Amino acid sequence: MLAIHHLDCISACPLGGRLMDGLSSSIFERGRLCCHCLLVETDMGLVLIDTGYGLRDFASPSSRLSGFFLRLMAPDFREEMTAVRQIEALGYQAEDVRHIVLTHLDFDHAGGLDDFPRATVHMMQTEREAAQLQKTWLDRQRFRPQQWSSRARWVTYAMRSGEPWYGFDCVRQLQGLPPEILMVPLEGHTLGHAGVAIGTPGDWLLMAGDAYFHHREMDLQHPSCTPGLRFYQTLMEKDRRARLSNQARLRTLKRNHGAAVRLLCAHDDIEFEQLAGRPVGTPAPAGMAASAMRRRRSPAVARG
Ligand SMILES: [Zn+2]
């Protein structure tokens, strides 16, 4: 059985307030968008799905991130909200994270890689190539080589190979990971964007990353989005047709298999609070690591 922890790894406080999150009281105050990452306990060690911002982003934002996005998003930098500090609070150590699966390489998903030097990073090959090319001005603001260029241990996957899964093609198992963790290509927001599906005893959880931004976009009768997030998604999209068609496929998945697959995205506060059972902007409760994995550890690797 895979135990899943929900971590908000440093929320953004975007300009536009209510226009962005639909929850803030005005459009003149800054809004709040969580940065929803998942920590999965497996027989092969901890697996982190997206990293949020990391300690180095917290320590030196201007050397790591673009001024444009720092002004637009004003991340709520607090050390205790980084993935590594929350994982330590749960009762683990950074080395226990053996694998990181990235939905994509945007600055708010890949900033914590440096905090887990021993982990193998899994992502789509297309994403890595596009990020390295740095083709446009916006690419240079969103894809920050400071966060990932010096890193070893990558495993990348081709977009166009894999197996069918609930109406999606080319779904992949990941090297060295249990079969309950799958990569589901969902390109559009970026060229190599992918969701990550995690099998639980009762159903699947599909982390759709930035394939959509607001839970109402997955409403089956009247899909909608706040104006600010609609604008932001249009600004950031690398392939509009693919993005909108993948949103439609996710709604079809929900319609046809809603009992078998639960959807979540990376930046919706309502989804985070429902799944995590605590408010956005609060760290994982201390000492809550499911003890199963710690019990399974051999004495040689057990610490303390
Ligand atoms: Zn994002």
Side-chain angles (χ1 to χ4, degrees):
M1 168 184 160
L2 304 182
I4 302 174
H5 302 275
H6 297 268
L7 309 177
D8 172 15
C9 298
I10 302 186
S11 303
C13 305
L15 280 174
R18 191 176 177 79
L19 284 176
M20 291 294 265
D21 60 24
L23 297 167
S24 298
S25 51
S26 94
I27 65 169
F28 302 108
E29 66 185 63
R30 285 201 174 253
R32 182 172 279 275
L33 300 173
C34 68
C35 192
H36 196 157
C37 303
L38 303 174
L39 181 72
V40 188
E41 301 183 2
T42 79
D43 289 341
M44 287 111 166
L46 296 177
V47 179
L48 183 60
I49 317 292
D50 282 345
T51 70
Y53 296 98
L55 289 175
R56 292 186 189 176
D57 301 314
F58 160 77
S60 179
S62 59
S63 73
R64 300 260 298 178
L65 301 159
S66 85
F68 173 74
F69 282 113
L70 280 174
R71 280 187 290 278
L72 187 66
M73 289 309 194
D76 178 20
F77 283 119
R78 280 182 286 141
E79 185 175 344
E80 74 265 27
M81 298 306 295
T82 57
V84 65
R85 293 291 180 251
Q86 293 196 63
I87 287 166
E88 288 165 358
L90 282 165
Y92 290 115
Q93 302 195 0
E95 307 89 271
D96 297 329
V97 176
R98 300 289 156 80
H99 298 276
I100 295 173
V101 187
L102 291 180
T103 59
H104 62 303
L105 262 184
D106 271 348
F107 59 95
D108 54 335
H109 296 256
L113 289 174
D114 288 332
D115 301 333
F116 306 96
R118 292 185 55 192
T120 299
V121 184
H122 303 256
M123 66 181 304
M124 288 293 166
Q125 176 68 18
T126 308
E127 183 71 5
R128 189 156 154 70
E129 285 169 2
Q132 283 168 329
L133 280 176
Q134 303 264 299
K135 260 190 183 160
T136 66
W137 177 85
L138 191 61
D139 285 353
R140 294 188 285 280
Q141 314 311 305
R142 74 191 300 180
F143 300 127
R144 306 296 285 174
Q146 297 92 321
Q147 293 178 326
W148 40 261
S149 60
S150 60
R151 187 180 184 93
R153 281 191 237 222
W154 295 84
V155 184
T156 57
Y157 301 86
M159 292 293 272
R160 310 263 168 245
S161 66
E163 303 291 321
W165 181 84
Y166 291 109
F168 286 80
D169 316 314
C170 305
V171 169
R172 303 281 314 239
Q173 281 194 23
L174 302 174
Q175 231 178 73
L177 289 176
E180 294 94 347
I181 299 184
L182 303 172
M183 191 93 109
V184 183
L186 290 173
E187 65 272 32
H189 177 71
T190 59
L191 295 173
H193 184 280
V196 182
I198 302 150
T200 74
D203 59 7
W204 288 87
L205 208 57
L206 175 56
M207 162 50 86
D210 288 2
Y212 70 96
F213 271 66
H214 193 279
H215 61 280
R216 288 218 189 95
E217 291 179 281
M218 291 298 116
D219 189 285
L220 297 181
Q221 268 74 47
H222 304 289
S224 66
C225 185
T226 60
L229 285 177
R230 196 178 310 126
F231 170 78
Y232 188 71
Q233 291 185 81
T234 304
L235 172 77
M236 300 297 277
E237 70 196 6
K238 298 300 284 184
D239 181 340
R240 181 173 183 79
R241 242 177 80 181
R243 181 173 76 78
L244 297 178
S245 117
N246 275 324
Q247 285 193 348
R249 291 165 86 205
L250 288 169
R251 282 189 291 271
T252 305
L253 171 73
K254 185 176 170 183
R255 183 178 296 116
N256 297 342
H257 305 286
V261 185
R262 279 180 293 157
L263 286 174
L264 68 153
C265 69
H267 301 298
D268 187 275
D269 287 17
I270 305 263
E271 287 179 352
F272 178 86
E273 293 186 354
Q274 272 170 2
L275 287 159
R278 67 176 186 281
V280 160
T282 52
M288 283 290 285
S291 50
M293 196 178 118
R294 278 185 293 186
R295 277 203 303 274
R296 274 197 296 274
R297 264 189 197 158
S298 71
V301 263
R303 291 169 205 88

